Amino acid sequence: KAGVTQTPRYLIKTRGQQVTLSCSPISGHRSVSWYQQTPGQGLQFLFEYFSETQRNKGNFPGRFSGRQFSNSRSEMNVSTLELGDSALYLCASSLDENTEAFFGQGTRLTVV
Amino acid sequence: DQQVKQNSPSLSVQEGRISILNCDYTNSMFDYFLWYKKYPAEGPTFLISISSIKDKNEDGRFTVFLNKSAKHLSLHIVPSQPGDSAVYFCAARKGLTGGGNKLTFGTGTQLKVEL
């Protein structure tokens, strides 16, 4: 059974640009969540999508957005990139809200 | 406001001995707890979980204990192996009370298992 797949694995962007990250969940999983990991703030929840609807949202500015498609694949977008957005972005999928979340390898975003 | 705390940033244990990682939480709405293991530049790997209706869950070398009254949980690894060296994160969720899959993570404990 394939795991959670995130693309790309590495990305370098310039301040002010926008970026889109992609996540393909485990087959059959309907919940997809996104997290940001930085050395200073640790692992922080960005948002969760379930059956194409945003179910939860963390404390991040509106520059961070996401969506989920009918096949459960999800994308997150960050507009007007700032240096502080440099981080490891992790996607996790779950069958539903009462089961474990499995994480992808992450996308390392560097903003220069 | 750190709702999930791992007060030991690092732990060193000899191979074959028991590793005990601790986690405290403050939000009484949390009803499901998970432990993850993480290597640098990789995603967390799920290890074991426990629901608030239980006080112990075991899976092979890993056992998680939950003390609801103290808002404390611990992960025991027996016996510890060098391959267990990684950062361990405790996470909590309000799933059964409508919290969805939003996980609140602790700051992590770096476990080093020495030969």
Side-chain angles (χ1 to χ4, degrees):
Chain A
K1 194 173 188 182
V4 179
T5 304
Q6 291 187 245
T7 56
R9 287 293 311 276
Y10 303 93
L11 206 48
I12 300 175
K13 288 286 188 179
T14 305
R15 268 183 303 175
Q17 287 186 314
Q18 76 163 14
V19 67
T20 299
L21 311 181
S22 180
C23 172
S24 293
I26 292 171
S27 179
H29 284 196
R30 296 185 296 164
S31 167
V32 174
S33 303
W34 289 88
Y35 294 82
Q36 181 197 63
Q37 186 184 26
T38 58
Q41 299 297 320
L43 275 155
Q44 291 195 296
F45 172 80
L46 280 156
F47 27 66
E48 180 201 3
Y49 287 87
F50 185 85
S51 294
E52 301 180 67
T53 301
Q54 188 179 86
R55 186 161 64 174
N56 277 297
K57 191 175 190 306
N59 296 324
F60 279 82
R63 300 185 297 106
F64 291 81
S65 63
R67 60 179 175 168
Q68 186 180 33
F69 301 96
S70 57
N71 61 359
S72 292
R73 191 177 70 85
S74 177
E75 288 181 348
M76 69 162 279
N77 184 77
V78 188
S79 62
T80 321
L81 283 165
E82 301 176 0
L83 294 179
D85 297 333
S86 295
L88 181 66
Y89 289 89
L90 293 159
C91 169
S93 80
S94 306
L95 194 58
D96 55 40
E97 66 180 3
N98 293 319
T99 56
E100 297 75 25
F102 295 90
F103 283 81
Q105 297 273 61
T107 294
R108 168 68 65 183
L109 172 66
T110 302
V111 183
V112 297
Chain B
D1 175 26
Q2 191 69 30
Q3 297 184 61
V4 179
K5 302 176 186 179
Q6 293 176 257
N7 292 320
S8 299
S10 64
L11 175 67
S12 189
V13 169
Q14 279 196 313
E15 182 182 12
R17 306 293 291 267
I18 184 171
S19 294
I20 299 175
L21 297 103
N22 294 303
C23 177
D24 296 294
Y25 62 97
T26 57
N27 193 331
S28 56
M29 298 293 286
F30 289 142
D31 54 22
Y32 199 79
F33 304 89
L34 308 92
W35 283 94
Y36 288 86
K37 170 181 172 180
K38 189 179 184 300
Y39 296 111
E42 291 186 10
T45 300
F46 169 73
L47 287 173
I48 192 167
S49 60
I50 188 166
S51 164
S52 59
I53 62 174
K54 294 185 175 182
D55 53 20
K56 177 183 174 181
N57 190 26
E58 223 172 326
D59 184 1
R61 296 188 298 117
F62 302 95
T63 303
V64 57
F65 295 92
L66 175 63
N67 182 335
K68 288 190 295 292
S69 60
K71 293 190 175 69
H72 176 85
L73 61 154
S74 60
L75 174 68
H76 293 209
I77 306 173
V78 183
S80 300
Q81 300 172 354
D84 295 331
S85 297
V87 178
Y88 288 76
F89 288 95
C90 166
R93 190 175 79 194
K94 294 186 276 186
L96 296 177
T97 54
N101 263 312
K102 175 182 177 180
L103 294 177
T104 300
F105 281 87
T107 49
T109 297
Q110 172 75 60
L111 172 65
K112 184 177 180 182
V113 180
E114 297 172 321
L115 298 170

